[in-house]
Structures are given as structure tokens and as C-alpha cells.
């Protein structure tokens, strides 16, 4: 069973930075895409960033372009999200996802994704 586990959430003031990490355990040979979703209270779950494992193609939501960077740290097993210049609107529960498909980011139907972490809270205060 593939299981993503997130770490690195916390509270930070607007303009600050946080780095989220995700380690994926289990059989990951069929995983082709790693990504991050987030959900704020009262809002729909939305894709933030994704990376295709073979080739490293990254895609970002418009709301985070230029501020967030997704990266693979060790093949199919780890992915990080560097978040800079954070805004109060970034406050949400952040989820790591792993998927067998080629795309798993912004605009993708989240309910179709294969594997989810439990989430880590990010709170940005003004």
C-alpha cells in the first residue's frame, strides 16, 4: 500500500516561508506523479503544484506561481514544497498526493487521485 506522509507545516507571518516535505512509503514503482493539494475551511480542495517523476515537468496553480516551488528529493519517494512570500490566503490543510497517472495537479479531479496523505496544517497570519 502506497502511503504519503507529510511534515513541515506550522504557523508563520505573512511574507514568511515554510517548507513541506512528503515521504511516500510502499510500492512506488507505478507512481508517475507527485503533488500537493490544499483545502481551506469552507472551500473546495484545490491543486497547488505537481511534478511528473519522469522528466520533472512541474505545474502550478496561478495563485502560487512565483512563490511556491515543488521538487523531487529522491526519485519516487520524496517530494517537497517550498513556500515563500506566504499570504494569509495560503492558510489551509496541505495534502501530499501520489498518482499512477501523468498529471495530478491544479484542475485535476481530486477524487480520482490514487493516494493521499493525512495532511499538514499551514497557518499564515497577517
Amino acid at each position: 500500500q502506497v502511503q504519503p506522509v507529510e511534515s513541515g507545516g506550522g504557523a508563520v507571518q505573512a511574507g514568511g516561508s515554510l517548507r513541506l516535505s512528503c515521504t511516500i512509503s510502499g510500492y512506488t514503482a507505478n507512481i508517475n506523479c507527485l503533488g500537493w493539494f490544499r483545502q481551506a475551511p469552507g472551500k473546495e480542495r484545490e491543486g497547488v503544484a505537481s511534478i511528473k517523476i519522469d522528466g520533472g515537468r512541474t505545474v502550478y496553480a496561478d495563485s502560487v506561481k512565483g512563490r511556491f516551488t515543488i521538487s523531487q528529493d529522491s526519485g519516487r519517494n520524496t517530494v517537497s514544497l517550498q513556500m515563500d512570500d506566504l499570504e494569509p490566503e495560503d492558510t489551509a490543510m496541505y495534502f501530499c498526493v501520489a498518482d499512477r497517472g501523468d498529471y495530478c495537479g491544479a484542475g485535476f479531479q481530486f477524487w480520482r487521485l490514487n493516494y493521499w496523505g493525512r495532511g499538514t496544517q499551514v497557518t499564515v497570519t497577517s
Side-chain angles (χ1 to χ4, degrees):
Q1 178 68 15
V2 175
Q3 182 61 60
V5 177
E6 305 93 342
S7 61
V12 65
Q13 286 190 328
S17 298
L18 281 174
R19 185 177 180 87
L20 305 183
S21 295
C22 176
T23 300
I24 299 123
S25 62
Y27 182 74
T28 58
N30 293 332
I31 299 300
N32 293 310
C33 184
L34 301 172
W36 292 90
F37 272 66
R38 68 184 181 186
Q39 187 166 20
K43 293 188 177 181
E44 288 192 356
R45 194 167 293 194
E46 61 173 353
V48 174
S50 63
I51 184 166
K52 191 172 184 298
I53 290 175
D54 294 328
R57 178 175 177 259
T58 58
V59 179
Y60 297 92
D62 288 343
S63 58
V64 306
K65 279 181 184 175
R67 301 188 298 120
F68 289 13
T69 304
I70 188 171
S71 61
Q72 273 174 257
D73 301 324
S74 179
R76 288 172 165 74
N77 297 99
T78 57
V79 61
S80 296
L81 185 69
Q82 177 66 38
M83 306 185 293
D84 298 318
D85 193 20
L86 282 160
E87 302 169 354
E89 292 74 21
D90 296 317
T91 295
M93 184 72 78
Y94 283 71
F95 299 90
C96 178
V97 299
D99 196 76
R100 294 187 291 269
D102 288 338
Y103 184 68
C104 60
F108 193 84
Q109 296 169 323
F110 67 87
W111 56 89
R112 295 173 57 189
L113 292 170
N114 298 131
Y115 306 105
W116 289 81
R118 292 178 179 269
T120 186
Q121 178 68 36
V122 171
T123 302
V124 184
T125 58
S126 56

